[in-house]
Amino acid sequence: MPLSDHTDSLPDPDVQLMLETAAGSETAFAELIRRNQNGLLNFFTRMGVYNDAEDLVQETFVRVWKVRGKYRPKAKFSTFLYVLARNVWADRGRKAKRFERLEGSLKTDAEIGGGKTVPLPAGGLDVQEALGRLSTKLREVIVLNIYQGLQYQETADVLGIPLGTVKSRINTALQELREFFNE
Amino acid sequence: MNNEEVIARLKSVPPVAVSHDLAPEILAKVKNRRTVRINFWRLVIPLAAAATVALLLGGMWLAGAKPSDSGRQAVEWLSRTQEADGSWSTARWGGDKHFEVALTSLSLITLLDEPSSPTTAGRRQRLEIDRSIQKAISYLVRNQQENGQFGELFSSAPYNQGIATLALAKAYETRKDESLRLALNRAVSAICACQHADGGWGYHQEVRPSSNLSVTLWQIEALRLASALGWPQVRPNVERGFRWMAGVAADNGSFGYRTSGDTAGGASPTLTAMGAMSLLDPAHMGLVTPGRRQAIKAQVQRLAATPGPDMDYYRRYFLAAALKKMDETPSNGGLASLRRDLLSQQVKRGKEAGSWKADTQWGSAGGRIYSTALASLALR
């Protein structure tokens, strides 16, 4: 089963833009944002964030800017970007949990924060529900590999887990999704 | 259903797209949050040199003013002088009573911008600052009318409106409070309602309303921050405002109230600093030609190269902001000399320690609150 574990040998234009950004070019940074903002937005929405997904996209790029001096083009730019995005997503989850504890009751996503709500795509409710039933560990491998198009090794690098674990998690996730869709 | 079918089902959901291009907002954010990247040797060598000088001069260096101390002292002075109702009084500190809303707002912005110190004393001071901030916010909200306008209606009321809205937006940035959001929403609506057809803003009650750079700048700054905080609908207002402002710039990069040179004595250095601060923002690079942009930068460099103790605090504040947008660091060039001047003029001892005298232009309108808030902000 190939999934998206393809290889490509074309140069990564984002790496070049990131190198220019690291050198201080705001024009390159703006272009980097434009090339990746939709991808990141979809990452966050598929991870279950609707209310302030655009804020998280912005925060991710702010972090890209902050660490630009440490960037080394050892891997694809997407690996670097999604490591930061996942951290932003995790931080947001921790903040939401603190908020819920303070409120003393569980709030739905739509009630947390005041950001712009990203509309759910029409007809995608069952898929969103299916993804929502997966554990975070399974959901993130599906989102990164199937939706965001990261290769197995990239997914492993982003999540900091072995390649074999990525593959087994994808299989488990697909099995759970199949059961859900067959219900 | 096999795995391929599951994947096809997952991919049947079309991707979503961002509501607008996020690049300008992100660039504005990184500009605002930009931290000075400290090169180890750049830090160590001057520190070693400074320590040597300190030893040689018997500790005199330790008695010298540093921007961090200066900011702390300014904030302490502001906290100390706040009235029980949360305002800062023009009767006590000079200035025109009509501008108490704007002066309270400038003080609030200064308090909001003060970085926390990790020490115990710093935490205690932070609590006091937070109390002052809350009182100032309450004062502004109490002085807002149903239509969003702050204070009474008079010719120069748009200054109160713009600066108070900016202060509330800065407060909302860190305190996502519902009453604050409602107040900010009303304030933003009031600003939008007063925008002229040409894109600028001007004084109230004019027989022939005309846009004015100084008034326009505060409205734009307030709306710009609001747009990033959840009011994207005001972006067209901001864009039109910037376009109007870009039209004020002369070929040589100078500005006036409506056209360069419309003030007594030719192009106004203060208005040039204000216009430069706005138009040198990377998010609005496309509004002026590269040649005009270079001319604006040259004007900023020229203004920074001709400092003087009588320079008004508006000019110092906007000049510092423009120099920062030109990537000047606090340790060199015009920004360094501007900061040195400010530090040397801060009151060091006595009841008014931490403040700045209001003895330059516009001191009669803003008093010691205006000079202290803007001087302190220029040093950040």
Side-chain angles (χ1 to χ4, degrees), chain B residues 144-150 161 165 168 181-195 201 204 219 222-223 226-227 231 233-234 237:
Chain B
Q144 189 185 34
Q145 300 171 21
E146 270 301 303
N147 65 1
Q149 182 199 312
F150 290 98
Q161 191 67 31
T165 307
L168 285 191
R181 190 185 70 77
L182 292 171
L184 185 53
N185 195 49
R186 286 193 295 268
V188 164
S189 299
I191 289 181
C192 291
C194 293
Q195 189 169 24
W201 281 264
H204 281 322
Q219 320 305 313
L223 291 188
S227 79
W231 281 264
Q233 66 273 28
V234 303
N237 303 76

Side-chain angles (χ1 to χ4, degrees), chain B residues 321-364:
Chain B
L323 286 164
K324 285 173 201 163
K325 286 188 177 173
M326 288 164 60
D327 288 343
E328 273 215 15
T329 61
S331 58
N332 60 33
L335 190 53
S337 82
L338 199 130
R339 291 163 71 89
R340 270 196 306 275
D341 278 353
L342 281 170
L343 288 172
S344 70
Q345 289 165 6
Q346 189 175 25
V347 179
K348 304 289 188 306
R349 291 181 190 79
K351 281 197 301 184
E352 314 317 341
S355 69
W356 276 263
K357 277 186 192 172
D359 52 2
T360 60
Q361 195 175 6
W362 295 304
S364 59

Side-chain angles (χ1 to χ4, degrees), chain B residues 42-355:
Chain B
R42 274 194 189 169
L43 178 70
V44 166
I45 292 169
L47 276 181
T52 308
V53 171
L55 286 170
L56 288 171
L57 298 179
M60 280 175 67
W61 180 80
L62 292 171
K66 290 179 284 180
S68 54
D69 292 341
S70 161
R72 181 177 51 75
Q73 287 161 6
V75 160
E76 281 173 2
W77 185 82
L78 284 172
S79 292
R80 218 165 47 229
T81 53
Q82 189 179 26
E83 302 296 318
D85 69 354
S87 70
W88 276 263
S89 163
T90 50
R92 284 175 70 196
W93 307 109
D96 183 335
K97 183 163 177 52
H98 287 100
F99 293 122
E100 267 185 6
V101 164
L103 294 170
T104 296
S105 304
L106 281 179
S107 301
L108 173 57
I109 291 169
T110 311
L111 296 177
L112 285 164
D113 271 9
E114 174 64 10
S116 296
S117 162
T119 62
T120 307
R123 282 195 290 275
R124 213 167 24 244
Q125 191 197 23
R126 187 71 246 171
L127 282 175
E128 285 167 21
I129 293 172
D130 283 346
R131 270 196 290 272
S132 289
I133 287 171
Q134 201 48 53
K135 279 164 65 182
I137 292 172
S138 300
Y139 170 85
L140 292 179
V141 173
R142 277 199 314 277
N143 278 274
Q144 189 185 34
Q145 300 171 21
E146 270 301 303
N147 65 1
Q149 182 199 312
F150 290 98
E152 61 181 289
L153 187 64
F154 69 109
S155 170
S156 297
Y159 283 111
N160 282 338
Q161 191 67 31
I163 301 173
T165 307
L166 178 62
L168 285 191
K170 281 183 179 282
Y172 185 69
E173 211 173 4
T174 51
R175 294 162 167 72
K176 293 279 194 295
D177 175 88
E178 180 60 11
S179 62
L180 195 50
R181 190 185 70 77
L182 292 171
L184 185 53
N185 195 49
R186 286 193 295 268
V188 164
S189 299
I191 289 181
C192 291
C194 293
Q195 189 169 24
H196 294 166
D198 63 9
W201 281 264
Y203 293 111
H204 281 322
Q205 302 164 333
E206 284 187 314
V207 179
R208 268 188 235 150
S210 63
S211 299
N212 167 310
L213 185 135
S214 177
V215 173
T216 298
L217 179 135
W218 289 111
Q219 320 305 313
I220 285 183
E221 288 298 308
L223 291 188
R224 188 160 68 140
L225 182 54
S227 79
L229 294 175
W231 281 264
Q233 66 273 28
V234 303
R235 278 194 199 102
N237 303 76
V238 176
E239 280 302 314
R240 288 200 296 128
F242 270 114
R243 281 185 200 288
W244 178 84
M245 199 183 279
V248 178
D251 285 342
N252 68 359
S254 64
F255 290 78
Y257 278 114
R258 291 166 193 86
T259 56
S260 176
D262 63 0
T263 50
S268 158
T270 299
L271 291 167
T272 297
M274 291 176 102
M277 190 280 287
S278 278
L279 291 176
L280 290 179
D281 194 289
H284 296 91
M285 275 174 77
L287 290 178
V288 287
T289 61
R292 185 75 56 88
R293 193 174 169 79
Q294 278 310 316
I296 293 172
K297 284 185 175 180
Q299 286 287 348
V300 171
Q301 297 286 15
R302 189 182 63 76
L303 291 176
T306 52
D310 58 343
M311 196 191 279
D312 67 78
Y313 288 94
Y314 256 139
R315 184 162 140 201
R316 293 176 201 234
Y317 168 66
F318 287 111
L319 193 52
L323 286 164
K324 285 173 201 163
K325 286 188 177 173
M326 288 164 60
D327 288 343
E328 273 215 15
T329 61
S331 58
N332 60 33
L335 190 53
S337 82
L338 199 130
R339 291 163 71 89
R340 270 196 306 275
D341 278 353
L342 281 170
L343 288 172
S344 70
Q345 289 165 6
Q346 189 175 25
V347 179
K348 304 289 188 306
R349 291 181 190 79
K351 281 197 301 184
E352 314 317 341
S355 69

Side-chain angles (χ1 to χ4, degrees), chain A residues 1 3 26 34 37-38 41-42 54 57-59 62 65 116 121 126-127 146-147 174 178 181-182, chain B residues 1 3-4 7 9-11 13-22 25 29-31 33-34 282:
Chain A
M1 184 174 60
L3 292 180
E26 288 171 1
R34 291 189 183 106
Q37 56 190 0
N38 281 332
L41 183 76
N42 280 286
E54 286 192 356
V57 174
Q58 292 199 20
E59 178 56 27
V62 168
W65 180 263
K116 183 177 173 62
D126 63 330
V127 173
I146 293 180
Y147 281 118
L174 289 175
R178 187 166 56 244
F181 290 134
N182 283 335
Chain B
M1 186 180 265
N3 278 354
E4 276 75 17
I7 292 166
R9 181 80 166 266
L10 291 173
K11 289 190 168 180
V13 182
V16 290
V18 289
S19 60
H20 61 284
D21 180 13
L22 302 179
E25 281 168 40
K29 274 189 183 179
V30 299
K31 272 285 189 184
R33 289 195 202 177
R34 176 172 288 176

